[in-house]
Amino acid sequence: MKSMFLALLLLFSVSHVHAADAPALPPAWTEIGVTVGMPYAQAKALLLEAGWVAEAPDNEGDPSFAAHPEVDCGQGWDAICSAGFSRKNEAYGLVLTPTDDGNLRVQGVF
């Protein structure tokens, strides 16, 4: 399962995708209250409570956000951040956008 998520994460990180192009959230997530635009900390709490597991990014070094070590951020002018979650046979990458105040907002999934 983790290798599948890592493969998706690698595929996503090498392609040029804007946060606005991210697909809609899966129904299982919207049913528990996760919405586009909500603070990531709130979405993460809802996902963990519903049994989703945050996947550690496959990189070295300090995390981009100390409070959320599962978040990985790209580099460059249009870079986005992402965090992977899995449950049973499902895995999604959550597309996140950093805010000016140092937080993250949910933008979609890959």
Short mmCIF file of all heavy atoms in Angstrom, two decimals, residues 2 5-6 9-10 13 55-65 68-75 80-84:
data_model
loop_
_atom_site.label_atom_id
_atom_site.label_comp_id
_atom_site.label_asym_id
_atom_site.label_seq_id
_atom_site.Cartn_x
_atom_site.Cartn_y
_atom_site.Cartn_z
N LYS A 2 1.89 1.25 0.88
CA LYS A 2 2.74 2.42 0.95
C LYS A 2 3.50 2.63 -0.35
O LYS A 2 3.67 3.75 -0.80
CB LYS A 2 3.71 2.31 2.13
CG LYS A 2 4.47 3.58 2.37
CD LYS A 2 5.22 3.53 3.67
CE LYS A 2 5.92 4.85 3.90
NZ LYS A 2 6.57 4.91 5.18
N PHE A 5 1.29 4.40 -2.80
CA PHE A 5 1.19 5.82 -2.50
C PHE A 5 2.46 6.55 -2.90
O PHE A 5 2.41 7.63 -3.48
CB PHE A 5 0.90 6.06 -1.02
CG PHE A 5 0.97 7.50 -0.67
CD1 PHE A 5 -0.03 8.36 -1.03
CD2 PHE A 5 2.08 8.00 -0.01
CE1 PHE A 5 0.04 9.70 -0.74
CE2 PHE A 5 2.18 9.34 0.29
CZ PHE A 5 1.16 10.19 -0.08
N LEU A 6 3.60 5.97 -2.60
CA LEU A 6 4.87 6.61 -2.94
C LEU A 6 5.02 6.75 -4.45
O LEU A 6 5.53 7.76 -4.93
CB LEU A 6 6.03 5.84 -2.33
CG LEU A 6 6.10 5.86 -0.81
CD1 LEU A 6 7.24 5.00 -0.31
CD2 LEU A 6 6.24 7.27 -0.28
N LEU A 9 2.90 9.62 -5.41
CA LEU A 9 3.53 10.85 -4.97
C LEU A 9 4.67 11.23 -5.91
O LEU A 9 4.81 12.39 -6.30
CB LEU A 9 4.04 10.71 -3.53
CG LEU A 9 4.60 11.97 -2.89
CD1 LEU A 9 3.54 13.07 -2.85
CD2 LEU A 9 5.07 11.66 -1.49
N LEU A 10 5.48 10.26 -6.31
CA LEU A 10 6.57 10.52 -7.23
C LEU A 10 6.03 10.99 -8.58
O LEU A 10 6.53 11.96 -9.14
CB LEU A 10 7.43 9.27 -7.41
CG LEU A 10 8.60 9.40 -8.38
CD1 LEU A 10 9.56 10.48 -7.90
CD2 LEU A 10 9.32 8.09 -8.52
N SER A 13 4.88 14.55 -8.16
CA SER A 13 5.93 15.54 -7.93
C SER A 13 6.72 15.86 -9.19
O SER A 13 7.27 16.95 -9.30
CB SER A 13 6.86 15.07 -6.81
OG SER A 13 7.56 13.93 -7.22
N GLU A 55 0.59 9.27 5.79
CA GLU A 55 1.79 8.59 5.30
C GLU A 55 2.97 9.54 5.36
O GLU A 55 2.87 10.70 4.98
CB GLU A 55 1.58 8.14 3.85
CG GLU A 55 0.43 7.18 3.66
CD GLU A 55 0.71 5.80 4.21
OE1 GLU A 55 1.88 5.42 4.36
OE2 GLU A 55 -0.26 5.08 4.49
N ALA A 56 4.10 9.04 5.82
CA ALA A 56 5.32 9.85 5.87
C ALA A 56 5.84 10.07 4.46
O ALA A 56 5.81 9.17 3.63
CB ALA A 56 6.38 9.14 6.71
N PRO A 57 6.30 11.29 4.16
CA PRO A 57 6.87 11.53 2.83
C PRO A 57 8.17 10.76 2.66
O PRO A 57 8.85 10.44 3.64
CB PRO A 57 7.11 13.04 2.80
CG PRO A 57 7.22 13.44 4.23
CD PRO A 57 6.36 12.46 5.00
N ASP A 58 8.51 10.48 1.43
CA ASP A 58 9.73 9.73 1.12
C ASP A 58 10.86 10.70 0.78
O ASP A 58 11.32 10.77 -0.35
CB ASP A 58 9.46 8.77 -0.04
CG ASP A 58 10.59 7.79 -0.24
OD1 ASP A 58 11.32 7.51 0.72
OD2 ASP A 58 10.74 7.31 -1.38
N ASN A 59 11.25 11.49 1.77
CA ASN A 59 12.36 12.42 1.56
C ASN A 59 13.17 12.52 2.84
O ASN A 59 12.76 12.06 3.89
CB ASN A 59 11.85 13.79 1.12
CG ASN A 59 10.93 14.43 2.14
OD1 ASN A 59 10.70 13.91 3.22
ND2 ASN A 59 10.39 15.57 1.80
N GLU A 60 14.32 13.14 2.71
CA GLU A 60 15.19 13.30 3.86
C GLU A 60 15.19 14.76 4.30
O GLU A 60 14.81 15.64 3.54
CB GLU A 60 16.60 12.85 3.51
CG GLU A 60 16.69 11.38 3.20
CD GLU A 60 18.10 10.94 2.86
OE1 GLU A 60 19.04 11.70 3.14
OE2 GLU A 60 18.25 9.84 2.32
N GLY A 61 15.64 15.00 5.50
CA GLY A 61 15.74 16.37 5.99
C GLY A 61 14.59 16.73 6.90
O GLY A 61 13.73 15.90 7.23
N ASP A 62 14.59 17.97 7.31
CA ASP A 62 13.56 18.46 8.20
C ASP A 62 12.23 18.60 7.47
O ASP A 62 12.21 18.96 6.28
CB ASP A 62 13.96 19.82 8.78
CG ASP A 62 15.19 19.73 9.67
OD1 ASP A 62 15.38 18.66 10.29
OD2 ASP A 62 15.95 20.71 9.75
N PRO A 63 11.13 18.35 8.16
CA PRO A 63 9.82 18.52 7.51
C PRO A 63 9.56 19.99 7.18
O PRO A 63 10.08 20.89 7.85
CB PRO A 63 8.83 17.99 8.55
CG PRO A 63 9.55 18.00 9.84
CD PRO A 63 11.01 17.90 9.54
N SER A 64 8.75 20.22 6.17
CA SER A 64 8.39 21.58 5.78
C SER A 64 7.59 22.28 6.87
O SER A 64 7.71 23.49 7.06
CB SER A 64 7.58 21.55 4.48
OG SER A 64 8.33 20.97 3.45
N PHE A 65 6.76 21.51 7.58
CA PHE A 65 5.94 22.04 8.67
C PHE A 65 6.13 21.13 9.87
O PHE A 65 5.69 19.98 9.85
CB PHE A 65 4.46 22.08 8.26
CG PHE A 65 4.16 23.11 7.21
CD1 PHE A 65 4.34 22.82 5.87
CD2 PHE A 65 3.73 24.38 7.57
CE1 PHE A 65 4.09 23.77 4.89
CE2 PHE A 65 3.47 25.33 6.60
CZ PHE A 65 3.65 25.03 5.27
N HIS A 68 3.28 19.21 11.16
CA HIS A 68 2.71 18.24 10.21
C HIS A 68 3.85 17.58 9.43
O HIS A 68 4.08 17.88 8.26
CB HIS A 68 1.74 18.92 9.24
CG HIS A 68 0.67 19.70 9.91
ND1 HIS A 68 -0.34 19.10 10.64
CD2 HIS A 68 0.45 21.03 9.99
CE1 HIS A 68 -1.14 20.04 11.12
NE2 HIS A 68 -0.68 21.21 10.75
N PRO A 69 4.57 16.65 10.07
CA PRO A 69 5.73 16.04 9.40
C PRO A 69 5.38 15.22 8.17
O PRO A 69 6.26 14.90 7.37
CB PRO A 69 6.36 15.18 10.49
CG PRO A 69 5.28 14.94 11.48
CD PRO A 69 4.38 16.14 11.42
N GLU A 70 4.12 14.89 7.97
CA GLU A 70 3.69 14.13 6.80
C GLU A 70 3.59 15.01 5.55
O GLU A 70 3.43 14.50 4.44
CB GLU A 70 2.35 13.43 7.07
CG GLU A 70 1.15 14.35 7.13
CD GLU A 70 1.00 15.12 8.45
OE1 GLU A 70 1.80 14.94 9.37
OE2 GLU A 70 0.03 15.89 8.54
N VAL A 71 3.66 16.32 5.71
CA VAL A 71 3.51 17.25 4.59
C VAL A 71 4.86 17.43 3.89
O VAL A 71 5.89 17.63 4.53
CB VAL A 71 2.97 18.61 5.07
CG1 VAL A 71 3.00 19.64 3.95
CG2 VAL A 71 1.56 18.45 5.62
N ASP A 72 4.83 17.37 2.57
CA ASP A 72 6.01 17.59 1.75
C ASP A 72 5.69 18.74 0.80
O ASP A 72 4.60 18.78 0.21
CB ASP A 72 6.34 16.32 0.96
CG ASP A 72 7.67 16.40 0.26
OD1 ASP A 72 8.54 17.16 0.70
OD2 ASP A 72 7.83 15.69 -0.74
N CYS A 73 6.61 19.67 0.66
CA CYS A 73 6.40 20.83 -0.22
C CYS A 73 7.43 20.86 -1.32
O CYS A 73 8.61 20.57 -1.09
CB CYS A 73 6.46 22.12 0.59
SG CYS A 73 5.14 22.29 1.79
N GLY A 74 6.98 21.24 -2.50
CA GLY A 74 7.87 21.40 -3.63
C GLY A 74 8.64 22.71 -3.54
O GLY A 74 8.48 23.48 -2.59
N GLN A 75 9.42 22.97 -4.55
CA GLN A 75 10.22 24.19 -4.62
C GLN A 75 9.81 24.98 -5.87
O GLN A 75 9.37 24.42 -6.84
CB GLN A 75 11.72 23.85 -4.70
CG GLN A 75 12.21 23.00 -3.55
CD GLN A 75 12.18 23.75 -2.23
OE1 GLN A 75 12.54 24.92 -2.17
NE2 GLN A 75 11.73 23.10 -1.18
N ILE A 80 3.56 23.42 -4.73
CA ILE A 80 2.47 23.10 -3.82
C ILE A 80 2.99 22.13 -2.77
O ILE A 80 4.08 21.59 -2.89
CB ILE A 80 1.26 22.49 -4.56
CG1 ILE A 80 1.67 21.19 -5.26
CG2 ILE A 80 0.66 23.49 -5.52
CD1 ILE A 80 0.52 20.41 -5.79
N CYS A 81 2.17 21.93 -1.77
CA CYS A 81 2.48 20.96 -0.72
C CYS A 81 1.48 19.82 -0.83
O CYS A 81 0.39 19.98 -1.39
CB CYS A 81 2.37 21.62 0.65
SG CYS A 81 3.54 22.97 0.91
N SER A 82 1.85 18.67 -0.28
CA SER A 82 0.96 17.53 -0.31
C SER A 82 1.16 16.67 0.93
O SER A 82 2.21 16.73 1.57
CB SER A 82 1.18 16.69 -1.58
OG SER A 82 2.50 16.18 -1.58
N ALA A 83 0.15 15.89 1.23
CA ALA A 83 0.20 14.92 2.32
C ALA A 83 -0.61 13.71 1.89
O ALA A 83 -1.70 13.85 1.35
CB ALA A 83 -0.37 15.51 3.60
N GLY A 84 -0.08 12.52 2.13
CA GLY A 84 -0.75 11.30 1.74
C GLY A 84 -1.51 10.68 2.90
O GLY A 84 -1.07 10.71 4.04
#
